[in-house]
């Protein structure tokens, strides 16, 4: 039997709670307190409950790396000892350079991919962010900053529009209060938005603006180097902040290099037009490189696919295939 009373509590719903989580709680766990993890540090965690902010106690043989910001856990009402983590509606992960996986955030509704109208705008890297979002089944939104500092922002907007089918693109000045109004569509009671992007593009400034009236803790911000548009890493840990009018924003450290893991489904979403053509190939195992009657190569030859876009897909597809391949150990 599932927990029923807290699901109707407005404050709990405001944390992002829904029947998806309530249905997981058995009657024997009715005395436990649902807590949403708001901060994960190296050796400790804190969260939000209907009683406000709480410090969580980790159970024996448990590590903070097992939890993600945005997770819901059930904890004892006294010392807030974590008893169980509930299943997630979504999980955003990041593959590290050593092949390990880092949990970036959980139970996220929308991913704001933040980039700026300068040297940081990098189409191949944005493809990777979009693949991450697609794999996690999180709706992406491209947020462009610093359009006011660009001599001509039109080329950036044109490239952004071609990144993926039906991708929302919003231009904001993270320092202005109207940034929330421009992004309000993706917020609301219990809705969670995560931010990702390189350092120096205005992510932390945007978090400060969004959370300023919502009681959030201000994030440090840093300057960027003019010669290469590179910023300093000012956010060092993932954190969840309330947003005025309802909802949550999840900030994370800047990422300049996105290593792909098993994101085949995510690539299919980003390059949907290529995948749709692939279903028309003569051979089901077509590699789209040399086979006869390849619908993808035929479309490429007649100009139905942008060659640069096909090249980017090919590179990411091959990288993803290599990442999924089992590693051979030494004898």
């Amino acid at each position: 039997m599932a927990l029923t009373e807290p699901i109707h509590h407005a404050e709990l719903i405001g944390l992002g709670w829904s029947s998806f989580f309530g249905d997981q709680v058995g009657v024997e766990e009715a005395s436990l307190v649902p807590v949403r993890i708001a901060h994960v540090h190296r050796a400790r965690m804190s969260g939000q409950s209907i009683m406000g902010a709480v410090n969580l106690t980790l159970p024996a043989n448990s590590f903070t790396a097992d939890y993600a910001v945005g997770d819901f856990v059930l904890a004892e009402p006294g010392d807030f000892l974590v008893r169980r983590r509930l299943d997630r509606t979504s999980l955003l992960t990041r593959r590290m350079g050593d092949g390990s996986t880092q949990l970036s955030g959980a139970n996220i509704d929308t991913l704001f991919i933040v980039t700026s109208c300068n040297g940081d705008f990098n189409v191949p890297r944005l493809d990777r962010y979009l693949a991450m979002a697609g794999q996690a089944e999180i709706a992406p939104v491209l947020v462009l900053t610093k359009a006011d500092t660009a001599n001509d922002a039109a080329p950036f907007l044109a490239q952004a529009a071609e990144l993926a089918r039906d991708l929302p693109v919003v231009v904001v000045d993270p320092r202005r209060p109207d940034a929330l109004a421009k992004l309000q569509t993706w917020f609301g009671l219990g809705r969670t938005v995560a931010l990702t992007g390189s350092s120096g593009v205005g992510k932390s400034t945007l978090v400060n603006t969004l959370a300023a009236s919502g009681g959030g803790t201000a994030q440090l911000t840093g300057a960027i180097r003019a010669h290469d548009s590179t910023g300093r890493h000012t956010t060092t840990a993932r954190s969840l902040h309330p947003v005025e009018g309802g909802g949550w924003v999840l900030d994370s450290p800047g990422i300049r290099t996105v290593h792909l893991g098993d994101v085949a489904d995510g690539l299919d979403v980003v390059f949907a037009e290529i995948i749709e053509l692939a279903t028309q190939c003569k051979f089901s195992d077509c590699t789209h490189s040399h086979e006869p009657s390849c619908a993808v190569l035929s479309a490429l030859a007649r100009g139905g696919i942008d060659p640069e876009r096909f090249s980017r897909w090919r590179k990411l597809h091959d990288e993803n295939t290599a990442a999924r391949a089992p590693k051979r150990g030494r004898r």
Side-chain angles (χ1 to χ4, degrees):
M1 183 180 296
L3 184 67
T4 56
E5 291 186 4
I7 191 62
H8 300 297
H9 199 298
E11 292 184 18
L12 189 54
I13 296 174
L15 292 177
W17 187 268
S18 68
S19 59
F20 174 85
F21 303 107
D23 290 344
Q24 299 179 50
V25 185
V27 65
E28 70 281 0
E29 298 173 310
S31 63
L32 299 178
V33 180
V35 179
R36 191 168 194 197
I37 297 176
H39 300 272
V40 176
H41 303 279
R42 179 167 296 181
R44 66 187 191 282
M45 300 188 306
S46 60
Q48 291 285 339
S49 70
I50 60 174
M51 294 169 282
V54 299
N55 291 319
L56 293 165
T57 302
L58 282 170
N61 301 318
S62 182
F63 305 93
T64 58
D66 299 329
Y67 302 87
V69 169
D71 269 333
F72 271 106
V73 297
L74 299 178
E76 295 286 351
D79 56 4
F80 291 101
L81 173 66
V82 174
R83 287 302 185 187
R84 186 164 70 90
R85 175 185 61 76
L86 299 181
D87 291 342
R88 301 148 170 154
T89 59
S90 63
L91 177 64
L92 189 65
T93 62
R94 174 191 174 195
R95 182 172 174 268
M96 308 300 287
D98 60 2
S100 62
T101 300
Q102 185 182 73
L103 306 184
S104 299
N107 303 314
I108 298 166
D109 300 294
T110 307
L111 180 65
F112 284 174
I113 302 171
V114 186
T115 188
S116 52
C117 297
N118 56 23
D120 179 79
F121 191 98
N122 183 291
V123 171
R125 186 165 66 240
L126 292 174
D127 284 337
R128 293 168 181 265
Y129 284 126
L130 289 168
M132 286 171 50
Q135 188 67 27
E137 297 185 349
I138 299 173
V141 175
L142 187 66
V143 178
L144 287 178
T145 66
K146 304 185 181 180
D148 57 320
T149 64
N151 293 329
D152 184 7
F156 297 101
L157 288 168
Q159 292 181 78
E162 298 296 326
L163 284 170
R165 185 179 295 172
D166 301 323
L167 173 67
V169 180
V170 184
V171 179
V172 301
D173 184 339
R175 301 163 296 181
R176 294 179 57 85
D178 64 358
L180 176 57
K182 291 186 175 183
L183 300 170
Q184 189 67 61
T185 300
W186 295 281
F187 290 102
L189 186 67
R191 304 284 295 175
T192 302
V193 174
L195 270 65
T196 190
S198 304
S199 297
V201 296
K203 288 193 295 89
S204 294
T205 301
L206 183 57
V207 169
N208 289 342
T209 300
L210 295 173
S213 300
T217 303
Q219 296 290 84
L220 294 173
T221 59
I224 63 171
R225 297 198 302 258
H227 72 276
D228 62 359
S229 304
T230 300
R232 295 197 302 269
H233 290 263
T234 51
T235 301
T236 57
R238 288 151 188 80
S239 53
L240 197 63
H241 306 266
V243 173
E244 181 181 10
W248 298 85
V249 59
L250 193 159
D251 192 18
S252 60
I255 305 173
R256 288 203 67 82
T257 303
V258 184
H259 301 279
L260 291 187
D262 187 358
V263 294
D265 293 339
L267 290 177
D268 290 354
V269 173
V270 179
F271 298 93
E273 77 281 13
I274 296 177
I275 302 306
E276 289 169 359
L277 282 168
T279 62
Q280 304 173 25
C281 293
K282 180 178 180 180
F283 302 104
S284 60
D285 59 348
C286 184
T287 64
H288 320 300
S289 58
H290 62 274
E291 292 86 351
S293 302
C294 172
V296 175
L297 293 180
S298 296
L300 185 65
R302 64 174 183 268
I305 298 178
D306 177 49
E308 182 181 347
R309 187 166 166 79
F310 175 77
S311 178
R312 299 199 319 265
W313 170 79
R314 168 65 69 189
K315 180 178 180 180
L316 293 177
H317 176 272
D318 291 347
E319 180 181 334
N320 183 65
T321 301
R324 296 170 62 189
K327 301 294 188 295
R328 290 187 177 181
R330 292 184 177 180
R331 289 181 177 273

